[in-house]
Amino acid sequence: MASSVGPEDRVAEARPRLMTRPLLLRFVTVVGSSASLFLLLSVVPVYAQSAPGGGSDKAGLVTGALMLATVAGELMAPWLAARCGYRVMLGAGLLLLGAPALALTVSRSLACIVTVCVVRGLGFAFTLVAGGALTASLIPPERRGEGLALIGVMAGVPSLVCLPLGAWLALHTGYGPVCWAAALIALVSLAAVPGLPGREAASGPPLGIFAGARSGALGRPTAVFAVTAVGAGIVVTFLPLAVAPGNSGVVAAALFMQPAAATASRWFAGRRADRRGAAGLMVPGLVASAAGILVVALTGVPVAVVVGAAVFGVGFGIAQSATITLMYSRVPASGYGTVSALWNVAYDAGMGIGAVGFGTVAGLTGYPWAFVLTAFLMLTALVPARWDLTAARRQRAMGREDQAVAEEGQR
């Protein structure tokens, strides 16, 4: 009797299951940490500025404290996770992200606000590194690109919603309810942590973060992603300043299109990486990112600004998916924490360096030429991207040769 199962069905059956109970629980912690951070991200600087003795410099201080603490936490998290386990680190991160927000409801002193930002920055870093490593361990290698892209979507949607929502709530309900909401979202998501894997996710000899950065297998994708993140920091920070004041609607549309396009392209790039490999995606992602920044340089043309932001978003999403998928595929499970730390440091440091450096250049050249120079600067990362692609192809060829020799020996 002939089987009624067709070739497509057999392929589908061969693909390992992606959606599992632990991964769904991980979604809860992703949404909880992202929503908690972004609800207060734009609210706390205004809160500090309006506090007694506040000012614009105080607003910058609290944001800087948050970002510096996040980078510091990302650097120390792999070492801590190797001793405590990823689940403990994730739980600690959610606790440090949520509970300190309540302190903002009882004190408006600058020292308290900065301290809260530092502690929350450390907590967010722990959720990124430990959570990212846990995620990689929960996804079948055959569907790693798709799974990581899906996690990116789960983290991206709360940022799109909660960043403007936090500002709206603070304006209409006051700062207290926003702080309580940010705290409760992170603390409630702690309930999902016990259902996640424990120390076994971090078993095996750990890979040091500096050793990982020095290795070409991880260092090249890290460098490429950091360069694309430079563009993201510039777009978010300076696009509202570069476009004429009467075109606020254009800025809003561009700042929406950029993350929306990045989220969509990250998803499609992840699925493509599972089928054909991620190594070939870094160059297209980098070129598209640079092209988008170059188009944005036409700051006096509203359509160009929106289209450029969207093109940059597409390239940035591809670069996100390609680099993180490649890096996880090149280490054993014991190195997942290091990969997560390197990737997130590249993200945060790239955005910070981009914002600071662009501001200096724009003061000398004006915004349009600063965007042009940034686009050409980003293209210099084609060197490590091409090196990585060549190395990946060489490794695949050697693997095929080894397999052929083994098969010949069996005969």
Side-chain angles (χ1 to χ4, degrees):
M1 178 177 172
S3 173
S4 60
V5 179
E8 296 83 359
D9 297 322
R10 285 194 292 270
V11 171
E13 290 175 358
R15 285 169 62 82
R17 181 184 178 191
L18 178 61
M19 301 302 296
T20 61
R21 182 176 181 274
L23 189 59
L24 291 174
L25 292 174
R26 172 67 185 125
F27 287 167
V28 174
T29 64
V30 170
V31 173
S33 60
S34 183
S36 179
L37 178 80
F38 283 100
L39 270 175
L40 291 181
L41 189 60
S42 62
V43 170
V44 173
V46 180
Y47 185 66
Q49 189 173 359
S50 62
S56 58
D57 57 331
K58 305 300 186 296
L61 177 63
V62 297
T63 300
L66 176 72
M67 298 309 299
L68 286 174
T70 300
V71 172
E74 289 164 351
L75 292 174
M76 71 173 71
W79 182 84
L80 291 172
R83 286 149 181 79
C84 304
Y86 295 133
R87 183 173 62 189
V88 171
M89 285 292 295
L90 177 59
L94 288 170
L95 182 63
L96 293 176
L97 186 60
L102 297 176
L104 296 175
T105 65
V106 296
S107 175
R108 298 193 66 179
S109 72
L110 182 61
C112 175
I113 297 173
V114 171
T115 301
V116 167
C117 288
V118 168
V119 176
R120 277 172 53 84
L122 290 173
F124 187 60
F126 293 168
T127 66
L128 289 175
V129 175
L134 265 175
T135 300
S137 70
L138 298 174
I139 297 172
E142 299 86 350
R143 304 186 71 176
R144 180 177 282 127
E146 181 181 1
L148 292 174
L150 186 57
I151 285 288
V153 172
M154 298 301 297
V157 171
S159 68
L160 285 172
V161 174
C162 292
L163 191 61
L165 179 62
W168 185 89
L169 286 173
L171 180 64
H172 292 85
T173 67
Y175 295 108
V178 187
C179 295
W180 273 97
L184 290 176
I185 288 173
L187 296 176
V188 167
S189 64
L190 273 168
V193 173
L196 297 170
R199 289 191 63 89
E200 64 272 19
S203 61
L207 173 64
I209 187 168
F210 294 107
R214 288 194 301 268
S215 70
L218 298 184
R220 289 186 298 264
T222 299
V224 171
F225 181 57
V227 170
T228 59
V230 165
I234 290 170
V235 169
V236 171
T237 305
F238 288 99
L239 197 61
L241 302 175
V243 176
N247 291 325
S248 58
V250 173
V251 173
L255 292 180
F256 174 80
M257 288 299 297
Q258 187 263 311
T263 300
S265 65
R266 186 174 180 180
W267 168 259
F268 287 109
R271 291 178 62 86
R272 193 270 186 194
D274 289 337
R275 289 163 171 79
R276 300 185 180 181
L281 291 173
M282 278 205 299
V283 170
L286 184 59
V287 170
S289 298
I293 294 294
L294 191 60
V295 175
V296 168
L298 300 171
T299 55
V301 183
V303 174
V305 172
V306 176
V307 171
V311 172
F312 171 78
V314 169
F316 188 53
I318 294 172
Q320 283 180 302
S321 186
T323 52
I324 192 67
T325 302
L326 273 178
M327 292 168 71
Y328 276 126
S329 69
R330 293 173 175 176
V331 298
S334 58
Y336 286 168
T338 295
V339 166
S340 182
L342 281 174
W343 193 83
N344 283 291
V345 167
Y347 199 161
D348 296 330
M351 290 189 68
I353 292 171
V356 173
F358 186 89
T360 303
V361 173
L364 300 173
T365 66
Y367 289 116
W369 277 109
F371 280 115
V372 171
L373 293 173
T374 299
F376 284 104
L377 174 65
M378 291 172 66
L379 289 176
T380 61
L382 283 172
V383 175
R386 293 292 301 176
W387 284 350
D388 194 85
L389 181 58
T390 301
R393 287 173 175 170
R394 185 183 303 118
Q395 188 173 9
R396 284 199 301 271
M398 292 175 61
R400 286 194 294 268
E401 290 176 4
D402 293 341
Q403 183 179 3
V405 170
E407 292 174 351
E408 184 67 24
Q410 292 174 356
R411 296 193 188 100

